[in-house]
Amino acid sequence: MPTVLILGANGKIGAHSAKAFASAGWTVRRYARDTDMTAAATGCDVIVNGLNPPAYHDWDRIIPAITAQVIDAARASGATVILPGNVYNFGDRGGMWSEATPHRPVARKGRIRVEMERAYRVSGVRTVVLRAGNFIDPDHDSDVMGAVFLRDIRKGRITLPGSADVLQAYAYVPDWARAAVMLAERRDTLERFEDVPFPGHAFTAHELKAELEGATGRALRFARFPWWAMTLLSPVWELARELREMRYLWNTSHSLSPEKLAQLLPEFRPTELRQVVRARIGPQTH
């Protein structure tokens, strides 16, 4: 029976990955933060790296430190690392992004992610970057839906962080976790470093509004995200500064190419968007 070590088991990626691997018959180990990661990975076949500093805190220092730990643990155990990549690498040139799209980060966090992925690539450890857009988590309000779009849904408002016509990429976390399991089970057929876009769903705020109105049975209206408040609070609130740095993405129309995932996992089917929306609005409407 194969064994997976889940890093960040209480977070979005970690919690759903643990469920998905367990459902597929894997033995699941949950890493205890600040313990010996190399010892925890001994005998493991796969490491899912769901560790991430909360609220983007101290990325410059913490991300490289986590990366070095994971690489050491994977090298010692021979495990394949599965990493939730994001779209920060691509900068502000919109389009359908794929594994062949050049990395042109325009923000500090994008440059940190590019360096992180480069470290895995040159390390020689088997690595799968399963790259996704904004995460949608049906179990928590701390995702982009809860923090932005649905923050005032009970008042009949959808909070809009950018243009309502801009296409954005999203990943339903249970779907991402299922795909991670399927790739883990085929890890021996993959390249030593695989960059796999996870297309998930791509939609505009107008399309989200239509889905939400269908799910809730009521008319909704747009309200602007208070970027002015983020500007005022930036000198004293770290998260406000970090959110402002990534504001450009909300006005950069993009999606992720489905081609590579379809080649590697031709049988994979994502959850329909209508089901995703209905699963996600539960905490805000009941």
Side-chain angles (χ1 to χ4, degrees):
M1 185 179 293
T3 300
V4 60
L5 177 66
I6 305 292
L7 312 181
N10 293 324
K12 299 178 186 66
I13 288 294
H16 286 284
S17 294
K19 291 178 187 176
F21 276 93
S23 295
W26 286 59
T27 296
V28 176
R29 295 184 193 170
R30 292 168 173 81
Y31 172 66
R33 194 182 289 266
D34 297 326
T35 62
D36 188 333
M37 190 182 294
T38 297
T42 301
C44 289
D45 302 281
V46 168
I47 300 171
V48 175
N49 183 7
L51 286 174
N52 210 27
Y56 296 115
H57 174 68
D58 203 5
W59 264 44
D60 304 69
R61 181 184 64 83
I62 296 176
I63 291 293
I66 291 173
T67 300
Q69 272 188 296
V70 177
I71 288 172
D72 287 346
R75 186 177 286 130
S77 63
T80 297
V81 177
I82 298 181
L83 181 71
N86 63 30
V87 298
Y88 299 175
N89 307 46
F90 300 126
D92 57 2
R93 300 188 190 185
M96 180 177 284
W97 295 331
S98 75
E99 69 279 5
T101 302
H103 290 184
R104 301 187 182 99
V106 296
R108 178 182 55 90
K109 287 189 285 297
R111 291 189 287 272
I112 292 169
R113 296 291 297 201
V114 168
E115 288 302 317
M116 178 193 72
E117 290 180 23
R118 183 178 294 123
Y120 280 105
R121 185 187 291 272
V122 303
S123 72
V125 303
R126 284 192 173 275
T127 305
V128 178
V129 178
L130 186 54
R131 190 180 307 283
N134 294 302
F135 287 123
I136 300 175
D137 185 348
D139 296 338
H140 299 282
D141 285 347
S142 61
D143 64 353
V144 68
M145 288 292 171
V148 180
F149 291 109
L150 305 181
R151 54 190 286 162
D152 286 327
I153 192 71
R154 289 194 181 96
K155 299 176 183 177
R157 296 197 295 260
I158 300 170
T159 302
L160 196 61
S163 170
D165 297 315
V166 170
L167 193 68
Q168 297 279 294
Y170 298 86
Y172 189 51
V173 187
D175 285 351
W176 185 97
R178 285 194 296 115
V181 173
M182 295 167 74
L183 290 169
E185 291 176 340
R186 299 170 201 204
R187 61 193 180 280
D188 292 338
T189 69
L190 303 177
E191 296 295 329
R192 185 156 288 275
F193 183 91
E194 285 280 13
D195 183 348
V196 183
F198 181 79
H201 297 284
F203 50 82
T204 67
H206 280 305
E207 291 168 326
L208 175 62
K209 181 174 180 286
E211 290 290 346
L212 286 168
E213 288 178 335
T216 61
R218 55 185 174 137
L220 302 169
R221 60 187 178 86
F222 287 129
R224 290 288 173 184
F225 185 81
W227 288 112
W228 61 270
M230 300 298 105
T231 300
L232 289 176
L233 292 169
S234 288
V236 295
W237 187 25
E238 182 181 40
L239 180 57
R241 292 193 298 274
E242 300 296 338
L243 291 175
R244 285 184 65 220
E245 182 189 35
M246 304 310 297
R247 183 178 179 179
Y248 75 90
L249 260 180
W250 293 111
N251 294 305
T252 301
S253 188
H254 66 274
S255 61
L256 286 167
S257 170
E259 291 185 10
K260 187 166 185 178
L261 191 72
Q263 292 169 1
L264 295 175
L265 305 177
E267 72 278 29
F268 178 81
R269 297 292 180 273
T271 303
E272 291 184 3
L273 179 58
R274 182 160 298 180
Q275 292 177 254
V276 170
V277 170
R278 289 180 183 274
R280 184 58 191 81
I281 62 175
Q284 279 78 17
T285 58
H286 299 291

